[in-house]
Amino acid sequence: FRFDTKRAGVLCAFVPFSTVFYLELWKLLDRRWPLQIARQSAAKAMTSSVIGGSLMTASFFAFVAVGQTAIHRSTAVPAAASAGRGTEQATIVCEDSAPLLPLHRVGIEAVQEKWAPAMQIGGGFWFVCNFCNFQFAPPSMRILIMSGQSLFWNTLLSLMQA
């Protein structure tokens, strides 16, 4: 196991985005279903899991793929290549010979490849987490509780991203 600080930085950069997203989503859900009763907690959990989970999972995979690819490209080894006219032209030497995709295509391909499996795994996990959060936690403690749940989930996503 090798700790990659650049990879960790990309993963950590996603956290503020997702935190703000969920804070705003939960405010909307609390306005729509204001009571902490099982039926309303289930409705909030389902909405948060399906809408929030779908968007955040896709965003996570795209963000991480683009971030890691950009870092990889910026740290690739420059090589001098002769253009045949006596001038030097800088090129990027990559570890593989695959053509370089535009960054937005890298993100799209990551989502296409990993979103469905992550949603299959995460659907049940996040519904249960969200239900417990909406049913038992006061609104002021939800982010703290969700952070603990997210630690486990982000570890799983990180392993899938590898």
Side-chain angles (χ1 to χ4, degrees):
F1 175 76
R2 183 178 67 85
F3 183 75
D4 185 344
T5 56
K6 291 177 183 176
R7 178 181 170 91
V10 170
L11 294 172
C12 289
F14 186 76
V15 172
F17 170 70
S18 63
T19 301
V20 169
F21 174 83
Y22 277 109
L23 281 173
E24 294 304 314
L25 177 62
W26 293 341
K27 286 178 192 176
L28 287 170
L29 295 177
D30 280 336
R31 273 185 258 146
R32 172 65 178 95
W33 296 291
L35 304 177
Q36 274 187 295
I37 58 174
R39 184 174 177 191
Q40 289 191 10
S41 293
K44 289 189 269 191
M46 183 60 72
T47 304
S48 183
S49 297
V50 171
I51 294 173
S54 297
L55 291 172
M56 282 296 103
T57 300
S59 299
F60 174 84
F61 284 125
F63 184 88
V64 171
V66 167
Q68 289 179 342
T69 301
I71 288 171
H72 174 72
R73 289 180 185 175
S74 71
T75 59
V77 180
S82 174
R85 294 182 293 275
T87 60
E88 298 294 320
Q89 179 182 3
T91 60
I92 301 294
V93 176
C94 291
E95 295 167 3
D96 55 25
S97 60
L100 294 178
L101 292 173
L103 286 178
H104 72 279
R105 286 295 315 156
V106 170
I108 291 168
E109 287 186 6
V111 171
Q112 288 173 336
E113 176 185 338
K114 297 174 180 172
W115 181 82
M119 289 306 296
Q120 289 172 343
I121 296 167
F125 173 79
W126 280 115
F127 177 80
V128 171
C129 289
N130 284 324
F131 178 81
C132 291
N133 209 5
F134 288 121
Q135 182 67 28
F136 304 114
S140 62
M141 295 296 293
R142 287 185 186 153
I143 282 294
L144 181 61
I145 292 168
M146 192 59 75
S147 294
Q149 297 162 336
S150 294
L151 178 62
F152 174 79
W153 179 246
N154 287 337
T155 301
L156 181 63
L157 287 181
S158 181
L159 293 172
M160 288 180 70
Q161 184 68 25

